[in-house]
Amino acid sequence: PLVVRTIDYLGEKHPVTAKRTAVVPVARLPLHGPDAIHAFKLLAGSRWTPHPPSDAGIGPNEGKASHGYFKISCEDFPQPGMNLKWISDTIDRLIEEANVSTFVFPSHSVL
């Protein structure tokens, strides 16, 4: 369920042509319940937003927006496919960690 954005300069070489950006609705990820969804949002940090990013190619009424969106990009590798592979692997690792993590928050503070 990834929306992948690429940039091309009509065949001209440019450093940004290898960059890949992906956006995915969190509700479409294989997360195991509300705790895993919450953990994923915490792990995602600033890459999570409640609304689709303006440059995501996703309209406000598209997709499953109930848990927000995750956006990630990579331009570290010389080949576009390598950058997309890194993004895919990173999302997989975040999902795996969110599904096994237990974040415990106290219901009240003790002074």
Side-chain angles (χ1 to χ4, degrees):
L2 296 174
V3 175
V4 178
R5 189 182 69 182
T6 64
I7 297 173
D8 186 46
Y9 288 95
L10 300 173
E12 296 291 324
K13 291 200 179 240
H14 192 279
V16 80
T17 58
K19 180 179 180 178
R20 292 297 177 260
T21 302
V23 177
V24 61
V26 174
R28 304 267 324 242
L29 296 174
L31 296 167
H32 304 309
D35 290 339
I37 292 168
H38 181 70
F40 184 86
K41 291 176 185 180
L42 293 175
L43 292 168
S46 63
R47 291 182 176 91
W48 175 84
T49 60
H51 307 289
S54 60
D55 61 351
I58 300 174
N61 299 323
E62 294 181 63
K64 296 185 176 187
S66 60
H67 298 294
Y69 295 85
F70 176 70
K71 178 181 176 182
I72 188 169
S73 63
C74 181
E75 57 183 312
D76 295 341
F77 303 100
Q79 298 297 318
M82 296 168 80
N83 289 314
L84 190 55
K85 174 71 170 139
W86 181 88
I87 288 171
S88 175
D89 290 347
T90 301
I91 292 172
D92 289 344
R93 285 192 309 271
L94 287 169
I95 291 168
E96 182 179 345
E97 184 63 32
N99 281 329
V100 298
S101 292
T102 305
F103 290 92
V104 178
F105 298 100
S107 58
H108 62 282
S109 60
V110 179
L111 297 177

